[in-house]
Amino acid sequence: MEGQIDGDPSRIDEWLRLPDCAKLRVRGLNNSRLMVTEIRYDHQNYGCSDPVIHQDAFVAGLQLRPQAFHELAYDGKSIPVYGGRPGDTLFADLEAVDRVITDVPFHSLQFFFSRAFVNAVADDLEVPRIKDVAITPGESVRDSVITRIGGKVRKALDAPHEMNELFASHCMMALGIYVCVTYGNMRTAKHGAGGLSAWQERVAKDMIEAHLDGSIALDQLAAACRLSTSRFAHAFRASAGVAPYRWLLKRRIERAKTLLE
């Protein structure tokens, strides 16, 4: 599944010479983009990737199968990575990674976050921008939040015809903000308990009602309500009791019942 955005900011599949990778691409904030690429190689002796084209972005790789050993050419140094387990997440700065070398099969979800997105998250939360995400090359983390959201995203990659843009953008935005806050030490904004005003709630629900196929993103709903995306998501939940994509699912079920009757 791909959102309605031209261009491809992530070229992980090209560097690894895996042209048929599944991808999920959604709009981020302020025209930034979010992407996840599922990379999989089931044979031995892969060898060395093509040179990585440096860019101001980072990736978070959620491992889906054991990977006993691989090597990163990172900022002019060789970084060995041992004992990769399913559920491990490894971060990499795309301004520093040169190549990847491995002789064992691999399978992971590679989440791509551009600097434009990281800056847009800070601006949306109305907090100072961060310099980078705290990354120690070759060291992995086990994070239940990343694993849980990654599982939801993988379902979208496995069955894109069953997924909608609102759900996909919700998952990817949630993961991006979580990573920035948890691993980039980005401060979180203090939102009040207030929900949407009457007109904002009416507009948001009417827009969701008009796009029950899910072909609308969080930032579009937020813009119509004249709110930042994060503030809108918080306020909608406070007013409706559920996240926007769950409200969409509720309305789809109600519509289906009406049609059956």
Side-chain angles (χ1 to χ4, degrees):
M1 173 184 172
E2 295 192 358
Q4 304 300 314
I5 303 174
D6 296 328
D8 186 345
S10 169
R11 300 175 63 183
I12 296 170
D13 54 330
E14 295 179 29
W15 302 328
L16 294 171
R17 302 185 299 278
L18 299 173
D20 299 322
C21 290
K23 294 183 178 181
L24 173 65
R25 181 178 54 182
V26 299
R27 78 175 73 238
L29 299 168
N30 296 337
N31 296 318
S32 64
R33 299 161 187 175
L34 290 169
M35 175 172 285
V36 59
T37 304
E38 182 175 10
I39 61 169
R40 181 169 184 167
Y41 188 80
D42 294 323
H43 310 287
Q44 300 288 339
N45 301 319
Y46 169 83
C48 183
S49 72
D50 288 343
V52 173
I53 298 175
H54 294 169
Q55 54 185 306
D56 194 0
F58 68 93
V59 293
L62 175 62
Q63 305 303 306
L64 301 178
R65 74 182 299 169
Q67 189 175 10
F69 173 79
H70 69 278
E71 182 180 347
L72 295 175
Y74 202 94
D75 201 17
K77 302 177 182 178
S78 177
I79 306 292
V81 184
Y82 297 99
R85 303 165 296 171
D88 286 354
T89 298
L90 291 94
F91 296 99
D93 184 345
L94 289 182
E95 284 196 316
V97 176
D98 299 314
R99 293 176 186 270
V100 179
I101 305 98
T102 184
D103 289 329
V104 298
F106 53 86
H107 188 192
S108 66
L109 297 179
Q110 297 290 327
F111 293 92
F112 174 94
F113 303 103
S114 68
R115 170 61 58 186
F117 169 74
V118 174
N119 287 343
V121 167
D123 295 346
D124 190 69
L125 292 174
E126 301 176 6
V127 298
R129 293 181 176 184
I130 59 175
K131 183 177 180 180
D132 53 34
V133 172
I135 295 170
T136 301
E139 291 189 8
S140 62
V141 300
R142 290 187 72 80
D143 190 310
S144 60
V145 174
I146 296 176
T147 301
R148 185 169 63 251
I149 297 177
K152 295 179 182 294
V153 170
R154 191 180 177 193
K155 291 180 180 178
L157 292 168
D158 290 341
H161 58 285
E162 298 177 3
M163 195 51 56
N164 62 71
E165 186 174 353
L166 182 57
F167 178 77
S169 64
H170 174 90
C171 288
M172 293 289 283
M173 282 287 296
L175 180 60
I177 293 173
Y178 176 78
V179 168
C180 288
V181 171
T182 305
Y183 298 99
N185 294 317
M186 182 180 288
R187 285 167 32 196
T188 54
K190 301 295 184 181
H191 292 306
L196 300 172
S197 66
W199 76 265
Q200 289 171 324
E201 185 172 357
R202 183 177 64 254
V203 166
K205 290 180 176 179
D206 285 350
M207 289 180 70
I208 293 174
E209 188 76 26
H211 296 85
L212 288 184
D213 60 351
S215 59
I216 191 167
L218 274 176
D219 64 332
Q220 294 172 291
L221 294 171
C225 292
R226 302 175 187 172
L227 294 173
S228 70
T229 304
S230 58
R231 192 176 295 276
F232 167 78
H234 173 89
F236 188 96
R237 183 186 290 272
S239 293
V242 293
Y245 82 90
R246 290 198 177 277
W247 179 267
L248 168 69
L249 294 179
K250 176 184 176 183
R251 290 298 302 129
R252 289 174 74 167
I253 292 171
E254 292 172 350
R255 174 70 65 85
K257 287 180 178 179
T258 301
L259 293 175
L260 287 173
E261 292 174 357

